[in-house]
């Protein structure tokens, strides 16, 4: 019997989400792709009005830690985010570029594959400060563990630099978020029925070197 993951929405929890590229291919290997992802994330955050605590954009997957949106659910947020990023990166370039520039800018030939993202995403409910810090630590040190940089401050596509010294980037976290209309979000939302999906094990190692 297959294990299943129950998605729990409407309880005021944060959500630690991991979403991978199709077949774990490095579709986010270029600066252009990672920058576009962060710009799109900022737009989606503004549209659905939620608190974004942290993120890390890797080469073939992304980690996000965010609160529940004022409207819709985290599932809707991820669907819209994935669709917008996929469409933008699949569009042909209008400006003519040299072969050397194409080698610098382009990662794997995205158009060759039927999909950009894995169909499902991993969603872990975060209900305590300890667990929140654990997930932020894991995200921020992921580029170091993968050998991309020597220190998390060197990876420009994570929220580490915001917590390090308050740097604003393409998508600045807003942990002090409040609904735009000033009302209490939890009074406006009712718990959603359990939404079941495939189980994905939470096997991420914990790194307590960073205390946020």
């Amino acid at each position: 019997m297959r294990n299943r993951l129950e998605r729990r929405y409407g309880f005021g929890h944060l959500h630690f989400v991991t979403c991978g590229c199709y077949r774990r291919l490095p579709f986010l290997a270029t600066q252009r792709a990672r920058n576009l992802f962060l710009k799109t994330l900022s737009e989606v955050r503004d549209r659905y009005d939620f608190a974004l605590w942290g993120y890390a954009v890797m080469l073939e997957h992304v980690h996000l830690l965010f609160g529940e949106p004022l409207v819709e659910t985290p599932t809707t947020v991820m669907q819209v985010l994935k669709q917008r990023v996929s469409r933008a990166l699949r569009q042909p370039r209008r400006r003519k570029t040299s072969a050397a520039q194409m080698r610098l800018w382009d990662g794997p030939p995205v158009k060759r594959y039927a999909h950009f993202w894995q169909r499902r995403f991993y969603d872990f409910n975060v209900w305590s400060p300890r667990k929140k810090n654990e997930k932020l630590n894991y995200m921020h040190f992921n580029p170091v563990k993968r050998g991309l940089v020597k220190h998390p401050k060197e990876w420009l596509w994570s929220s580490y630099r915001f917590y390090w010294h308050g740097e604003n980037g393409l998508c600045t976290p807003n942990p002090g978020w409040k609904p735009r209309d000033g009302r209490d979000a939890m009074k406006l939302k009712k718990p959603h029925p359990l939404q079941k999906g495939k189980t994905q094990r939470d096997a991420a190692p914990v790194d307590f070197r960073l205390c946020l």
Side-chain angles (χ1 to χ4, degrees), residues 115-175:
H115 307 284
F116 187 95
W117 299 103
Q118 295 283 8
R119 180 181 177 186
R120 298 184 182 274
F121 62 89
Y122 167 81
D123 183 2
F124 179 88
N125 284 52
V126 176
W127 60 88
S128 70
R130 183 185 67 82
K131 187 62 68 172
K132 177 195 68 178
N133 289 342
E134 174 187 313
K135 297 304 182 185
L136 285 171
N137 292 343
Y138 174 72
M139 288 192 295
H140 292 157
F141 280 92
N142 202 191
V144 177
K145 180 181 178 182
R146 296 286 299 275
L148 298 174
V149 291
K150 294 183 178 180
H151 191 280
K153 69 181 180 182
E154 299 171 1
W155 189 249
L156 304 181
W157 301 274
S158 84
S159 53
Y160 179 88
R161 296 168 71 90
F162 170 80
Y163 290 100
W164 179 41
H165 64 97
E167 179 178 299
N168 295 327
L170 293 174
C171 185
T172 303
N174 60 336

